[in-house]
Amino acid sequence: MSDESWASSPGVRRSMQANTGRDTKPELALRRTVHALGLRYYVNRRPIKAVRRTADLVFPRARVAVFLDGCFWHGCPTHHTVAKTNAQFWATKVATNRRRDAETNARLADAGWTVIRVWEHEPVDEAATRVKDAVARARPAAGRVDDRRRRSTGR
């Protein structure tokens, strides 16, 4: 490893390395609340195997993908703060993340998926209700297929 670091200081480097890609406090709270509403889901999974995009919660039968976005990383219009150090690097990083988010939304929508974006600052109960409503809207069509299969097999 090189002695050169992308971080502006050793403290910043340690802080950035401590950031996790999954199981953050907002994500765990959303998962708990969605689970308490009776929904079951996959965690940290690609909705479409061939597309390198990982959703935080995935409901494959309902074709609903949930992304919980951090305000800093994804440029929340309400809470995003401009970095004081390495400002150009971070502005480019956030702009790239936003473009990728929009592309992900479009690709999944084109494939018939419902995409839900939740900001980390959103009240978890409201976000979980949005998820539940989206899954409920998508399930009736999937449920009819399951009901026919059960009737034809006697299960």
Side-chain angles (χ1 to χ4, degrees):
M1 185 170 127
S2 168
D3 288 338
E4 290 293 316
S5 173
W6 46 264
S8 59
S9 72
V12 167
R13 183 175 175 83
R14 279 191 304 279
S15 175
M16 296 305 290
Q17 287 176 326
N19 287 326
T20 60
R22 62 176 279 181
D23 298 336
T24 62
K25 286 181 184 180
E27 186 180 330
L28 292 173
L30 180 63
R31 288 185 348 214
R32 267 192 307 273
T33 306
V34 168
H35 189 274
L37 291 174
L39 298 175
R40 302 302 177 257
Y41 47 83
Y42 290 93
V43 175
N44 203 41
R45 184 174 180 178
R46 291 181 185 181
I48 302 172
K49 298 286 182 224
V51 179
R52 283 193 63 206
R53 300 300 197 281
T54 303
D56 296 305
L57 303 176
V58 178
F59 301 85
R61 292 174 89 188
R63 298 189 126 215
V64 174
V66 180
F67 296 86
L68 199 146
D69 296 336
C71 292
F72 176 78
W73 302 104
H74 295 268
C76 171
T78 307
H79 297 103
H80 177 71
T81 57
V82 177
K84 291 179 176 58
T85 306
N86 290 337
Q88 186 56 50
F89 169 83
W90 289 111
T92 302
K93 172 76 173 156
V94 170
T96 301
N97 288 347
R98 293 180 86 178
R99 275 193 302 276
R100 186 177 55 246
D101 292 345
E103 179 192 342
T104 299
N105 293 352
R107 289 177 84 171
L108 290 174
D110 289 347
W113 284 76
T114 299
V115 177
I116 298 176
R117 294 261 172 200
V118 177
W119 289 109
E120 69 177 333
H121 68 267
E122 284 186 57
V124 71
D125 293 337
E126 290 175 20
T129 299
R130 282 199 300 135
V131 171
K132 181 181 179 185
D133 292 346
V135 170
R137 280 192 304 273
R139 278 210 173 135
R144 284 193 297 272
V145 171
D146 293 341
D147 291 343
R148 275 183 272 147
R149 188 178 315 129
R150 267 191 229 111
R151 280 194 297 266
S152 67
T153 62
R155 288 187 214 167

